[in-house]
């Protein structure tokens, strides 16, 4: 979904909230319409878009100018919060869309954060370690007045990791001597004040979003034939039936970085007789094997290759992996039950939506499915678990990391996993109940509705809506 599509959905949901009897305790329909119209204008638009050019002296090309962004969408729920991505295709519009999604995600999961996002227009694979360090530090120098533990708290995202975040924290501390700095970023290394399990948290939550739906939520209603969301209910039942017959549920995963590789690991470690990862793909290749791929061997390989999957027979042999090599996009249309999208935006769209074979699609990445594809697949009976629901594990654990900087308590990894799972399951229960037990809105619409109810209530209580 692009920014315009996100904004269009916000508009639709706000319009339906204005028709909800007694919403915000307002019985007068005209007044409710005015109040919801004001909330819509605030949430559709962005508080602040900051753009700068980072100038870095490179080994090969002399001084280069790199566009960089920090977009602060809304902070009615709390301090701005959102990752920084390093990508050669990042644009201002994309960063703004991602910032809006952060506001909605934090509100949906009841986190005390607003929404923001950052972006730097570089391909991190094509710069040296020294250049990456300089770019990271300059990002902080340029946005130092806008970020901070009680203002805007960035984290890693696509193309960034705990090493980059540790450098950024170091630079923030240098620029702000004597000021609190530990909570200025989340996703730090554990050695630098991060929490155990932050790196794995998004992938873990992505796996939980569909495994909990199939293995726990659907189980509650196993014998109930009267679930109003008929087609999607049949989809879940077919998957549960597979498990009952001792057949594995086949998972394909696009993206084998932080989110994709951890969600693959979670699937195969959960129960070997339940989930099998039959395909994984990255920017260069898809690996497919109908009996399942050796995920641990792939992780060992990518740890040594700098993140890339094997792309030829020699590398497959070196990694000890049996797989067929296919084009990068083949993972999207692979023969599977569940498709986890854990790479980038705009992957399932008008041109390929009719070739998708999965009956459950999970948005580990932000905005990987277009509105048209969402509607088409939903009408066919697919269950689509949207980004703001599925990939919140990272920001939930980021909240715990940020909170840890305010207290003298270091969370154990078990505490982190338990707190994250509890928070996500509470939201899953709300969303899955609303979605499956009525037949009114798509799951994405349902998530937006719950989220916008929360944001509008806060705006109203804060006296911002007239
Ligand atoms: P990452 O950089 O660790 O991995 C990205 C993966 O996507 C790599 O395997 C890369 O090869 C692949 N990829 C990149 N471009 C591709 C393309 N055109 N086609 C196919 N594959 C491509 O990033 P990550 O942290 O795993 O994040 C993945 C997605 O999840 C992003 O969209 C990010 O915004 C989202 N997300 C991440 C987090 C987090 O905590 N890291 C939290 C929420 C959402």
């Amino acid at each position: 979904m692009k920014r315009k599509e996100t904004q269009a959905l916000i508009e639709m949901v706000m319009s339906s909230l204005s028709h909800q009897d007694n919403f915000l305790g307002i019985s007068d329909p005209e007044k409710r319409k005015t109040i919801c119209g004001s909330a819509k204008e605030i949430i559709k638009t962005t508080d602040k878009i900051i753009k700068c050019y980072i100038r870095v002296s490179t080994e090969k090309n002399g001084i280069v100018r790199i566009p960089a962004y920090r977009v602060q969408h809304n902070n009615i729920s709390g301090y701005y919060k959102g990752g920084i991505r390093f990508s050669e295709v990042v644009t201002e519009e994309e960063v703004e869309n991602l910032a809006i999604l952060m506001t909605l995600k934090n509100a949906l999961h009841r986190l005390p954060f607003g929404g923001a996002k950052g972006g730097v227009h570089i391909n991190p694979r094509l710069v040296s370690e020294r250049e990456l360090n300089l770019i990271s530090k300059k990002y902080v120098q340029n946005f130092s007045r806008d970020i901070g533990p009680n203002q805007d708290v960035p984290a890693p995202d696509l193309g960034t990791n705990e090493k980059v975040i540790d450098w950024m924290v170091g630079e923030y501390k240098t620029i702000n001597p004597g000021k609190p700095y530990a909570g200025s970023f989340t996703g730090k290394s554990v050695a630098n004040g991060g929490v155990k399990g932050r790196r794995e948290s998004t992938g873990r939550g992505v796996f939980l979003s569909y495994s909990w739906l199939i293995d726990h939520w659907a189980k509650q209603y196993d014998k109930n034939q009267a679930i109003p969301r008929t087609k999607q209910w049949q989809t879940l039942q077919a998957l549960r039936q597979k498990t009952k017959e001792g057949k594995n549920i086949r998972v394909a995963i696009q993206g084998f970085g932080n989110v994709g590789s951890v969600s693959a690991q979670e699937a195969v470690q959960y129960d070997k007789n339940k989930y099998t990862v039959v395909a994984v793909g990255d920017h260069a290749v898809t690996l497919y094997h109908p009996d399942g791929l050796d995920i641990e061997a792939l992780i060992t390989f990518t740890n040594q290759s700098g993140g890339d999957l094997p792309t030829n027979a020699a590398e497959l042999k070196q990694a000890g992996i049996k797989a067929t090599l296919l084009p990068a996009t083949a993972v999207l249309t692979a023969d599977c039950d569940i498709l986890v999208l854990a790479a980038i935006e705009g992957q399932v769209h008008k041109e390929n939506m009719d070739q998708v074979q999965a009956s459950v699609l999970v948005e580990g990445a932000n905005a990987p499915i277009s509105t048209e594809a969402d509607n088409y697949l939903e009408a066919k009976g697919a269950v689509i678990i949207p980004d703001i629901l599925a990939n919140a594990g990272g920001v939930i654990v980021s909240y715990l990391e940020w909170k840890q900087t305010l207290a003298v308590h270091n969370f154990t990894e078990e505490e982190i996993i338990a707190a994250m799972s509890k928070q996500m399951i509470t939201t899953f229960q709300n969303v899955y109940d609303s979605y499956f037990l009525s037949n009114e809105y798509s799951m994405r619409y349902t998530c937006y509705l719950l989220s916008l109810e929360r944001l509008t209530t806060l705006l109203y209580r804060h006296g911002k809506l007239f």
Side-chain angles (χ1 to χ4, degrees):
M1 277 176 63
K2 293 193 187 316
R3 184 191 59 194
K4 273 197 180 137
E5 294 171 283
T6 306
Q7 288 168 326
L9 191 52
I10 290 174
E11 210 158 305
M12 275 167 68
V13 174
M14 285 310 305
S15 161
S16 80
L17 275 177
S18 74
H19 292 104
Q20 206 178 87
D21 274 350
N22 219 27
F23 178 52
L24 300 171
I26 305 171
S27 52
D28 175 2
E30 277 312 305
K31 186 170 178 210
R32 224 172 32 232
K33 198 172 160 200
T34 310
I35 295 282
C36 287
S38 306
K40 179 194 77 184
E41 285 312 313
I42 293 177
I43 300 167
K44 254 182 67 186
T45 49
T46 292
D47 286 354
K48 207 169 175 185
I49 297 177
I50 318 152
K51 178 177 179 180
C52 71
Y53 288 94
I54 293 176
R55 290 185 193 83
V56 180
S57 168
T58 61
E59 284 141 34
K60 286 189 194 136
N61 302 316
I63 291 195
V64 293
R65 253 169 121 240
I66 305 164
Y69 309 92
R70 187 73 192 162
V71 175
Q72 298 173 333
H73 169 250
N74 188 283
N75 65 353
I76 193 70
S77 300
Y79 305 129
Y80 296 110
K81 179 101 193 74
I84 301 171
R85 72 170 39 179
F86 286 0
S87 155
E88 71 278 29
V89 291
V90 83
T91 61
E92 182 181 311
E93 186 198 319
E94 177 186 283
V95 180
E96 189 181 3
N97 189 32
L98 295 168
I100 302 173
L101 292 176
M102 282 305 295
T103 304
L104 295 169
K105 190 191 304 182
N106 289 332
L108 178 66
H109 292 270
R110 298 292 187 264
L111 296 171
F113 287 127
K117 202 79 181 187
V120 180
H121 195 272
I122 51 151
N123 182 340
R125 293 161 198 283
L126 300 185
V127 296
S128 69
E129 170 115 346
R130 177 87 190 100
E131 288 161 358
L132 199 66
N133 173 276
L134 274 177
I135 293 164
S136 307
K137 290 198 292 197
K138 294 233 167 173
Y139 185 89
V140 179
Q141 288 166 20
N142 278 284
F143 295 110
S144 67
R145 270 175 296 176
D146 308 291
I147 57 179
N150 297 334
Q151 191 175 355
D152 181 353
V153 186
D157 189 62
L158 192 80
T160 51
N161 53 26
E162 62 181 32
K163 185 163 73 177
V164 167
I165 294 296
D166 282 355
W167 291 336
M168 290 186 168
V169 174
E171 191 61 14
Y172 181 85
K173 184 168 181 267
T174 305
I175 296 172
N176 297 284
K179 287 198 186 155
Y181 64 90
S184 54
F185 289 80
T186 59
K188 304 180 287 289
S189 68
V190 174
N192 190 32
V195 290
K196 289 183 183 145
R198 166 63 183 88
R199 192 189 67 77
E200 295 82 2
S201 54
T202 305
R204 276 190 181 131
V206 165
F207 173 67
L208 191 65
S209 72
Y210 67 84
S211 60
W212 191 82
L213 174 64
I214 297 165
D215 300 330
H216 297 273
W217 189 89
K219 199 175 172 188
Q220 302 168 47
Y221 298 96
D222 245 355
K223 294 194 174 60
N224 191 334
Q225 299 305 312
I227 298 288
R229 183 80 52 177
T230 328
K231 282 188 185 169
Q232 276 71 14
W233 179 235
Q234 280 165 1
T235 298
L236 292 188
Q237 281 187 316
L239 294 177
R240 287 186 59 71
Q241 187 58 31
K242 273 193 133 183
T243 309
K244 285 177 195 160
E245 288 169 6
K247 293 181 191 154
N248 279 11
I249 294 175
R250 299 158 310 145
V251 183
I253 302 177
Q254 188 198 36
F256 204 71
N258 177 352
V259 180
S261 68
V262 174
S263 66
Q265 208 169 22
E266 288 285 300
V268 294
Q269 284 174 359
Y270 177 74
D271 181 345
K272 287 216 160 32
N273 299 317
K274 227 167 205 175
Y275 296 99
T276 310
V277 178
V278 293
V280 297
D282 68 3
H283 60 283
V285 71
T286 291
L287 306 180
Y288 175 76
H289 197 295
D291 299 333
L293 296 162
D294 184 341
I295 296 302
E296 286 310 319
L298 279 174
I299 289 175
T300 306
F301 181 89
T302 51
N303 283 343
Q304 287 158 5
S305 70
D308 295 344
L309 289 167
T311 51
N312 56 50
E315 286 180 347
L316 280 178
K317 196 171 170 200
Q318 178 201 336
I321 290 155
K322 285 188 194 137
T324 307
L325 293 162
L326 298 168
T329 51
V331 68
L332 300 169
T333 53
D335 183 12
C336 65
D337 302 301
I338 294 177
L339 174 62
V340 175
L341 298 155
I344 56 167
E345 288 70 29
Q347 295 303 292
V348 179
H349 42 70
K350 195 177 171 185
E351 276 74 39
N352 63 7
M353 61 192 186
D354 57 348
Q355 294 154 47
V356 170
Q357 300 197 50
S359 58
V360 176
L361 287 88
V362 188
E363 293 189 326
N366 294 304
I369 304 178
S370 73
T371 303
E372 197 168 1
D374 204 36
N375 295 339
Y376 171 84
L377 290 163
E378 169 115 16
K380 269 180 67 178
V383 173
I384 299 169
I385 307 183
D387 42 16
I388 63 169
L389 182 63
N391 72 24
V395 71
I396 292 172
V397 173
S398 274
Y399 167 58
L400 299 174
E401 180 181 338
W402 179 81
K403 201 165 139 180
Q404 183 173 279
T405 63
L406 307 174
V408 192
H409 173 75
N410 284 346
F411 291 112
T412 62
E413 188 163 1
E414 289 70 34
E415 284 176 314
I416 291 285
I417 295 174
M420 180 207 77
S421 306
K422 190 169 168 230
Q423 177 62 60
M424 289 198 86
I425 286 169
T426 305
T427 316
F428 293 156
Q429 184 85 51
N430 269 341
V431 173
Y432 296 155
D433 282 358
S434 308
Y435 174 72
F436 284 99
L437 305 184
S438 86
N439 202 3
E440 224 173 328
Y441 306 123
S442 72
M443 199 185 299
R444 194 182 307 281
Y445 195 106
T446 304
C447 289
Y448 275 49
L449 192 66
L450 294 169
S451 178
L452 288 165
E453 262 174 15
R454 163 91 179 150
L455 291 167
T456 309
T457 303
L458 286 173
L459 285 165
Y460 188 58
R461 302 305 317 171
H462 288 209
K464 310 271 187 211
L465 303 180
F466 286 95

